Amino acid sequence: MSINRGRLRWQCRRAFLELDLVFARFLERDFDRLTDGQLADLEDLLRCEDHELWAMVNGSEPCGNDRWKEMIGLLRQQ
Amino acid sequence: MNVAKRTFDAVIVGAGGAGLRAALQLSESGLKTAVLTKVFPTRSHTVAAQGGVAASLGNTTEDNWHWHMYDTVKGSDWLGDQDAIEFMCRKANEVVVELEHYGMPFDRTDNGKIYQRPFGGHSQNYGQAPVSRSCAAADRTGHAMLHALYQRNVRANTQFFVEWMALDLIRDADGDVLGVTAIEMETGEVCIFHAKATIFATGGAGRIFHSSTNAFINTGDGLGMAARAGIPLEDMEFWQFHPTGVFGAGVLITEGVRGEGGILRNASGERFMERYAPNLKDLASRDVVSRSMVTEINEGRGCGPDKDHVLLDITHLSPETIMKRLPGIREISIQFAGVDPIKAPIPVVPTAHYQMGGIPTNYKGQVVAPKDGNPNAPISGFYAAGECACASVHGANRLGTNSLLDLLVFGKSAGESVVEDFQSGDLSLKPLPADAADVSLARLARLEGQKNGESVFEVGLEMRRTMQKHAGVFRFDNLLKEGVARIKEVAERSRRTEIKDKSKVWNTARTEALELDNLIEVAKATMVSAEARKESRGAHVRDDSPDTAEFPNGRKDNEWLKHTLWYSEGNRLDYKPVTMKPLSQDVEPIALAKRTY
């Protein structure tokens, strides 16, 4: 079954502002171009706790899962 | 139209700290409880709270609740209700210890007790010395609290409706509250949640401002629903701002940056704080720094093409110092200002942080409104807690760590009140009016059918800019008057929003349009209430009400020691007295005094 883009778009709403801003940029710039495979990676990444996610995005913690690396890279891009 | 109906003993809207604490009280009492939440509970904005939760446990330094009560009344600039403040401070130890028993991983002292640290505004012996009153779990107190409460709710069989958005409050001809309508994002279906008790715990609405530390989720849904249902909003002119938010993003730059030697500069590079606070300069108190920044901008000395911000400069610090002491701030600046602060200064403006006002409640968490001469008549079936509610414990200004305490104490208290009202037979499942869902269906139909309408983004942007300019951290009579006219225009535009995407399933454009309906109610309440209050008090600081011998800090108790009540219909204002009498006979009221630190 294919992943609903609207659901993932909504689940990019996070608990604090820093992540909301990073995801807003990502949704505007990258989201519509993602392949089904990339969407599945994003879905997996979105299950992370927000503090862990932010630490990976801001570079204070390494990304521990190969599957997330591409998405973290896109989120970090300015 | 036929609308599906679900029936519960209680429905709670919002699954942050207050909603989860209230839900726990109900579920553990055996009530059939539904919690509606736009996002997964542990992704609520409570996660962002870092500071800690206040309780006079006295584990590190001597402490007692009388001192905490004094600090809170003083912090509120005497606008807080002393019965609710006594209640909160007396209950603090109980709710914190309970949380500990739920598995909250508080930091510990060497002998195993909850470690406590000092926090601004909290004191020993009525302002004599700082006290260690904040109980924290590293810098993730809110996160740990939500997880502990969520797990406990799962154990208690609380039923969660995740990714549901509540739309409107249902009231009958008596004005009693019978539940809410809500939309399931996954299907776009509207459903009535019919309940004997309804608790709102929807958090704040910081997104009304252009510069805000609040997450996108904080759209004041509970406040919008209450206002549309004819319930007043209390003290909405009082918003706490932080002086240094990243311009255009709102993200907080901690005071620690100025502590490390950061300097605020205007367009000509001048260190302007030397003029406003010759001794403390950039390290003056938050309100002084915020007002100075706004004065620089208002007088044309702001930076950038629109002269709408100032600069926070740390380029004179060594790169090693910045990398070592301020690594998080460097990353925030690079991410959100596009500036490496080692090389160039960070653009900053004051940023909205916390909403002191809200849906009026008493200390039991019952929503109250004026009726038949009683300014605080409970509305049957309706309760509220946390940032969306106004008990009022924060009055005109909140102390740090009192917000997490507020949501624990009043979340629990609202839950207890429901259980008591349930057991005493005061709550029953009243029949739904035939038109229970009509308002919501009409709103959705209007949005669906709107042609040649306004963009949700553009109207939202205009609202946020209007609020920032006209009702920001430092307020001016002419700007407020203009602001009232402008926000009414924006509100008119918001009635004609149009969305291009009409799909039913996971339609985020529709969700955002519905959120804007709520935000605009809060924006009107804030602007109209702020324009009317002709004094300075706590976080509401007016240029035309300065500190004088007659009116210390610009506060005018003879005329303005009262709560504002704003009604959506006609933007009508009413006022009610502040409760100066504590809850218990043997507790002395905290007498009015000038608020100085």
Side-chain angles (χ1 to χ4, degrees):
Chain A
M1 205 176 90
S2 67
I3 293 169
N4 186 293
R5 285 179 186 259
R7 174 169 64 81
L8 287 196
R9 185 176 275 278
W10 179 251
Q11 288 171 352
C12 291
R13 281 263 192 119
R14 309 305 289 189
F16 50 84
L17 180 64
E18 287 85 342
L19 280 173
D20 278 342
L21 292 167
V22 164
F23 274 108
R25 185 173 63 198
F26 167 83
L27 288 171
E28 177 83 13
R29 186 187 57 200
D30 304 308
F31 184 73
D32 288 342
R33 291 186 285 123
L34 299 184
T35 63
D36 285 353
Q38 287 172 314
L39 286 177
D41 293 344
L42 177 64
E43 184 182 37
D44 195 56
L45 178 69
L46 289 174
R47 293 198 189 103
C48 283
E49 292 291 341
D50 286 326
H51 285 287
E52 281 74 50
L53 189 49
W54 174 234
M56 288 187 281
V57 170
N58 73 24
S60 63
E61 293 288 338
C63 174
N65 185 333
D66 282 344
R67 197 178 166 191
W68 300 338
K69 280 185 177 156
E70 187 186 6
M71 289 300 124
I72 294 290
L74 289 175
L75 289 167
R76 278 182 64 78
Q77 242 174 51
Q78 283 158 55
Chain B
M1 191 180 157
N2 206 13
V3 174
K5 189 180 84 172
R6 286 180 165 88
T7 303
F8 290 88
D9 291 326
V11 58
I12 298 175
V13 184
L20 290 179
R21 187 63 192 79
L24 190 55
Q25 206 63 27
L26 300 180
S27 294
E28 289 192 341
S29 302
L31 299 192
K32 191 183 169 199
T33 304
V35 179
L36 308 187
T37 171
K38 292 196 290 188
V39 295
F40 194 76
T42 52
R43 249 173 249 148
S44 306
H45 194 51
T46 305
V47 166
Q50 298 180 346
V53 50
S56 55
L57 295 167
N59 286 351
T60 307
T61 50
E62 187 191 345
D63 201 2
N64 68 66
W65 65 262
H66 292 275
W67 297 345
H68 186 188
M69 176 176 170
Y70 169 83
D71 293 336
T72 304
V73 172
K74 179 181 169 186
S76 81
D77 219 350
W78 278 267
L79 193 71
D81 288 326
Q82 296 200 18
D83 57 344
I85 294 175
E86 180 196 328
F87 182 79
M88 179 178 81
C89 296
R90 289 186 86 149
K91 280 271 185 185
N93 293 5
E94 172 189 315
V95 294
V96 165
V97 170
E98 260 170 9
L99 201 60
E100 183 187 28
H101 293 168
Y102 296 161
M104 168 93 173
F106 282 115
D107 295 343
R108 299 281 164 182
T109 62
D110 289 341
N111 61 8
K113 290 183 173 173
I114 294 174
Y115 171 78
Q116 297 187 277
R117 60 188 177 204
F119 222 91
H122 291 278
S123 76
Q124 262 183 329
N125 203 15
Y126 310 102
Q128 293 298 307
V131 70
S132 294
R133 188 176 288 151
S134 168
C135 314
D139 61 353
R140 293 191 186 178
T141 311
H143 170 90
M145 184 183 281
L146 268 189
H147 275 263
L149 290 172
Y150 178 66
Q151 304 283 348
R152 192 86 181 179
N153 267 288
V154 170
R155 197 183 85 150
N157 288 325
T158 301
Q159 196 171 342
F160 288 95
F161 289 82
V162 177
E163 291 162 341
W164 281 73
M165 181 183 183
L167 296 174
D168 288 286
L169 198 61
I170 301 173
R171 300 182 79 183
D172 67 7
D174 301 328
D176 295 352
V177 169
L178 312 182
V180 292
T181 53
I183 187 167
E184 184 181 23
M185 295 184 190
E186 188 179 357
T187 60
E189 296 298 333
V190 175
C191 180
I192 289 172
F193 284 78
H194 188 198
K196 296 174 190 170
T198 302
I199 304 181
F200 275 9
T202 56
R207 299 306 303 173
I208 63 168
F209 290 101
H210 191 53
S211 186
S212 167
T213 64
N214 284 198
F216 290 2
I217 206 80
N218 290 22
T219 56
D221 297 342
L223 290 95
M225 287 188 277
R228 281 195 299 276
I231 292 162
L233 301 182
E234 179 176 344
D235 292 341
M236 290 304 296
E237 59 271 46
F238 297 100
W239 287 83
Q240 193 165 61
F241 283 73
H242 194 285
T244 51
V246 174
F247 174 70
V251 177
L252 203 71
I253 301 278
T254 149
E255 258 129 0
V257 173
R258 281 172 284 136
E260 290 292 339
I263 293 169
L264 289 161
R265 299 188 189 280
N266 62 19
S268 58
E270 182 202 6
R271 181 180 194 178
F272 59 84
M273 283 310 300
E274 288 181 330
R275 274 188 278 118
Y276 297 96
N279 296 323
L280 290 174
K281 296 175 188 162
D282 302 278
L283 290 174
S285 64
R286 281 183 184 184
D287 55 334
V288 170
V289 174
S290 292
R291 285 204 292 279
S292 308
M293 291 165 69
V294 172
T295 304
E296 288 299 295
I297 293 167
N298 284 347
E299 293 182 357
R301 293 186 291 276
C303 307
D306 295 327
K307 299 177 179 295
D308 50 6
H309 60 271
V310 297
L311 297 172
L312 177 57
D313 187 3
I314 54 171
T315 56
H316 51 286
L317 303 182
S318 72
E320 293 74 32
T321 303
I322 294 173
M323 305 281 265
K324 186 173 158 205
R325 301 246 176 89
L326 306 165
I329 292 309
R330 181 175 179 236
E331 184 61 31
I332 281 172
S333 179
I334 291 172
Q335 277 283 345
F336 303 119
V339 164
D340 184 346
I342 290 174
K343 296 172 189 153
I346 312 166
V348 290
V349 284
T351 186
H353 189 53
Y354 187 85
Q355 164 198 305
M356 268 76 74
I359 301 166
T361 70
N362 56 24
Y363 71 91
K364 295 176 174 176
Q366 295 171 308
V367 176
V368 295
K371 190 179 181 185
D372 302 333
N374 176 7
N376 293 306
I379 294 175
S380 181
F382 195 25
Y383 309 78
E387 193 171 342
C388 78
C390 183
S392 142
V393 285
H394 308 303
N397 183 56
R398 175 187 66 101
L399 293 187
T401 70
N402 265 355
S403 46
L404 287 184
L405 179 60
D406 170 356
L407 56 82
L408 286 177
V409 169
F410 293 104
K412 178 177 182 183
S413 173
E416 282 178 335
S417 297
V418 170
V419 173
E420 280 168 24
D421 292 347
F422 209 84
Q423 286 166 348
S424 68
D426 285 351
L427 290 174
S428 60
L429 195 69
K430 292 183 78 180
L432 282 172
D435 62 353
D438 285 8
V439 171
S440 301
L441 295 175
R443 285 175 64 208
L444 290 167
R446 201 280 303 158
L447 197 56
E448 180 78 18
Q450 183 71 49
K451 299 278 192 301
N452 303 315
E454 296 272 359
S455 137
V456 172
F457 177 79
E458 292 295 334
V459 175
L461 185 63
E462 190 58 29
M463 172 195 67
R464 292 189 290 276
R465 284 187 171 151
T466 303
M467 295 310 294
Q468 194 79 23
K469 179 174 176 192
H470 294 268
V473 67
F474 191 23
R475 293 167 173 178
F476 302 82
D477 191 56
N478 61 330
L479 280 175
L480 285 164
K481 284 195 165 73
E482 271 175 42
V484 169
R486 288 209 178 172
I487 205 67
K488 286 179 181 171
E489 288 169 18
V490 178
E492 274 307 305
R493 290 177 63 191
S494 77
R495 296 159 66 92
R496 298 192 305 274
T497 48
E498 180 181 355
I499 50 172
K500 305 293 179 199
D501 179 3
K502 312 281 189 188
S503 58
K504 284 195 77 163
V505 174
W506 291 112
N507 186 334
T508 52
R510 182 179 56 209
T511 304
E512 285 167 9
L514 295 167
E515 288 177 329
L516 181 63
D517 290 348
N518 295 325
L519 283 165
I520 204 77
E521 295 294 333
V522 180
K524 284 188 292 179
T526 299
M527 190 72 84
V528 171
S529 304
E531 191 278 327
R533 185 176 282 272
K534 313 286 187 198
E535 66 157 355
S536 296
R537 182 183 299 269
H540 175 67
V541 183
R542 289 180 67 114
D543 164 65
D544 57 4
S545 191
D547 184 18
T548 62
E550 188 185 3
F551 300 115
N553 290 342
R555 204 178 79 196
K556 296 172 180 168
D557 289 325
N558 283 345
E559 202 181 344
W560 288 103
L561 183 63
K562 56 188 179 185
H563 294 296
T564 307
L565 294 173
W566 171 88
Y567 290 83
S568 180
E569 190 172 13
N571 280 300
R572 178 167 68 88
L573 290 177
D574 193 4
Y575 293 91
K576 68 174 181 181
V578 175
T579 305
M580 301 295 283
K581 202 165 157 278
L583 200 56
S584 310
Q585 296 290 340
D586 58 346
V587 176
E588 287 293 314
I590 312 289
L592 286 164
K594 182 177 181 179
R595 182 165 155 263
T596 51
Y597 288 102

